[in-house]
Amino acid sequence: MMRVADIMTTEVVTIRNSATAAEAAKLMSQRGVQALIVERSHTLDAYGVITIEDIVGKVIAFGRNARWIRVYELMTKPCIVLNPDLGVEYAARLLTQAHLHSAPVIQSELLGIVSVTDILERSKAIEQPQET
């Protein structure tokens, strides 16, 4: 069975929770990603996530100034995380049921990120579905 660790992206784009929504949007655009993992404030803190949908739906849709809104006001924290040993099918189910595009892969520390695009492009689920 293919695991999350086999398809995750290890180069994760992160941002501080005190950054502005404008900085987050610019970083997403520059790096070609739809979500940023929000760094922990300290080692016992939970990770957060901010998505392009957060910025569009909570800032732009209401005519708010993205230069004044902070990431911590928009992010989801704690966020759903994936274990690197989790099977890809279970990760796909979890992301779909939670209506998420991506989730960080964490095992004591941030290891990577998996998106539904990663699941579609990197897993062999389309070519080799499991027999039922």
Side-chain angles (χ1 to χ4, degrees), residues 57-127:
K58 297 174 185 175
V59 179
I60 296 170
F62 291 96
R64 298 169 75 189
N65 189 334
R67 290 185 300 260
W68 294 101
I69 306 297
R70 300 289 172 178
V71 166
Y72 67 80
E73 298 175 69
L74 306 171
M75 70 183 185
T76 300
K77 178 181 174 178
C79 59
I80 290 178
V81 301
L82 301 173
N83 183 298
D85 296 322
L86 184 67
V88 170
E89 330 49 72
Y90 297 107
R93 222 173 292 147
L94 179 62
L95 291 176
T96 302
Q97 289 173 347
H99 305 287
L100 296 174
H101 180 267
S102 58
V105 180
I106 297 175
Q107 192 170 56
S108 300
E109 62 182 6
L110 180 62
L111 302 175
I113 190 166
V114 168
S115 70
V116 292
T117 305
D118 295 330
I119 292 170
L120 188 61
E121 292 177 352
R122 296 181 185 162
S123 76
K124 294 181 172 72
I126 299 294
E127 296 89 22

Side-chain angles (χ1 to χ4, degrees), residues 12-30:
V12 182
V13 185
T14 64
I15 194 163
R16 303 173 329 279
N17 67 4
S18 60
T20 66
E23 291 170 323
K26 182 177 180 180
L27 184 57
M28 287 182 206
S29 177
Q30 289 172 340

